[in-house]
Amino acid sequence: MENHIRYMEEALKEAKYAFDKGEVPIGAVVVCSNQIIARAHNLTETLNDPTAHAEMQAITAATSYLGGKYLNQCTLYVTLEPCCMCAGALFWSQLGGLVYGASDPKRGYYNLSEKLLHPKTKVITDVLSQKSEELINKFFKQKR
Amino acid sequence: MENHIRYMEEALKEAKYAFDKGEVPIGAVVVCSNQIIARAHNLTETLNDPTAHAEMQAITAATSYLGGKYLNQCTLYVTLEPCCMCAGALFWSQLGGLVYGASDPKRGYYNLSEKLLHPKTKVITDVLSQKSEELINKFFKQKR
């Protein structure tokens, strides 16, 4: 659990970078053999690209680093429950482990179908979820 | 219907480019005001990136061209039924229309949930589906 918290703190750092850019503050890191191999944060506004979620960029960066399409030996840490697009992408990557912070009952994958993830992906939820929620609430409060 | 066939033929051209690169042959084009604003084909092997489906790249190219995150005035033509990742991405883009060729009962979005698409997206299926299937079957026959 100690490692999960440490890596989620790194994902939260990424979420804060997103916040500072006026993006919905969501961050992610990919860990392989106890090493962070990819870091990313939501850039949908900056890039005018609805696919530029933190997870999507983290997958692209991690597979590029590894030189292969699969992340079965990796764990993705993300501050918010992935949406269906990101869960679908994680499926294709055959992700080994998914650790997320806050749940997203409205747009998260789980409410639609847990089958969106690969059956081999081990999931851990609710890691530093309060910190993630606080940051997201602060963002939307500012926007109002 | 005539236009649908014309644009699907362009998507099939993209699928053939993928075929020639040793990629699963799937192609897509995005049409806005009767003009093709984006073309793409599957590049998952070439880029070592499981997110590099034709649709994902077409969304990124089209939103980049338009300078905005939404494709509500656009129609995406794709030779195969989108997977859950791509349907999730099309949801975020608020795509106006989706026209696809062959169905994909194994990995297509529809069998999991039609709710993966945005409720406003109008869907037309089975346009030049046989040509798409022939190309995909030829690809997998070669691989065996």
Side-chain angles (χ1 to χ4, degrees):
Chain A
M1 197 63 194
E2 199 181 301
N3 271 351
H4 290 333
I5 288 173
R6 186 159 65 92
Y7 292 130
M8 189 60 82
E9 274 167 353
E10 295 299 316
L12 279 163
K13 275 186 202 167
E14 288 294 322
K16 282 169 198 157
Y17 294 142
F19 184 94
D20 293 341
K21 291 175 182 169
E23 300 275 358
V24 178
I26 301 162
V29 299
V30 177
V31 174
C32 193
S33 307
N34 286 314
Q35 195 194 331
I36 294 177
I37 63 165
R39 296 171 178 271
H41 52 268
N42 177 36
L43 283 175
T44 50
E45 299 298 327
T46 308
L47 300 177
N48 266 332
D49 185 349
T51 75
H53 286 192
E55 299 95 316
M56 301 301 283
Q57 296 176 80
I59 293 168
T60 299
T63 51
S64 171
Y65 175 87
L66 294 172
K69 277 195 308 176
Y70 300 114
L71 300 177
N72 51 319
Q73 300 297 319
C74 301
T75 300
L76 181 117
Y77 292 79
V78 57
T79 56
L80 185 71
E81 179 186 345
C83 73
C84 295
M85 167 181 74
C86 293
L90 295 171
F91 174 93
W92 289 119
S93 80
Q94 301 185 6
L95 184 71
L98 167 66
V99 181
Y100 66 81
S103 290
D104 183 359
K106 200 172 165 197
R107 291 280 164 245
Y109 77 94
Y110 193 85
N111 262 3
L112 193 77
S113 172
E114 57 183 311
K115 283 183 195 160
L116 282 161
L117 286 185
H118 196 278
K120 287 193 182 164
T121 304
K122 291 186 187 111
V123 183
I124 294 174
T125 69
D126 204 23
V127 174
L128 298 183
S129 55
Q130 207 180 330
K131 283 191 182 180
S132 171
E133 275 165 15
E134 277 167 13
L135 193 63
I136 291 169
N137 291 342
K138 188 175 154 194
F139 176 83
F140 284 109
K141 214 166 174 179
Q142 271 191 358
K143 284 274 163 189
R144 266 183 231 127
Chain B
M1 197 60 195
E2 200 179 300
N3 270 351
H4 290 332
I5 288 171
R6 187 160 63 92
Y7 292 130
M8 190 60 81
E9 274 168 352
E10 295 300 316
L12 279 163
K13 274 185 202 168
E14 289 294 321
K16 280 168 199 156
Y17 293 142
F19 184 94
D20 292 341
K21 291 175 183 169
E23 299 274 358
V24 179
I26 301 163
V29 299
V30 177
V31 175
C32 193
S33 307
N34 286 313
Q35 196 194 330
I36 294 176
I37 63 166
R39 296 171 180 271
H41 52 267
N42 177 35
L43 283 174
T44 48
E45 298 298 326
T46 307
L47 300 177
N48 264 333
D49 185 350
T51 75
H53 286 193
E55 301 95 315
M56 301 301 284
Q57 295 177 80
I59 294 168
T60 299
T63 51
S64 170
Y65 176 87
L66 294 172
K69 275 195 311 176
Y70 300 115
L71 300 176
N72 50 321
Q73 301 297 317
C74 302
T75 300
L76 180 118
Y77 292 80
V78 58
T79 56
L80 185 70
E81 179 187 345
C83 73
C84 296
M85 168 181 73
C86 292
L90 294 170
F91 174 93
W92 289 119
S93 81
Q94 300 186 6
L95 185 72
L98 168 66
V99 182
Y100 65 81
S103 290
D104 184 359
K106 200 172 163 197
R107 291 279 163 246
Y109 76 95
Y110 192 86
N111 263 4
L112 193 76
S113 172
E114 57 183 312
K115 283 184 195 161
L116 282 160
L117 286 185
H118 196 277
K120 287 193 180 162
T121 305
K122 291 184 186 110
V123 183
I124 294 175
T125 69
D126 204 23
V127 174
L128 299 183
S129 55
Q130 207 179 331
K131 282 192 182 179
S132 171
E133 275 165 16
E134 276 167 13
L135 194 61
I136 291 169
N137 291 342
K138 188 175 155 194
F139 176 82
F140 284 109
K141 213 166 174 178
Q142 272 192 355
K143 285 275 164 185
R144 267 181 230 131

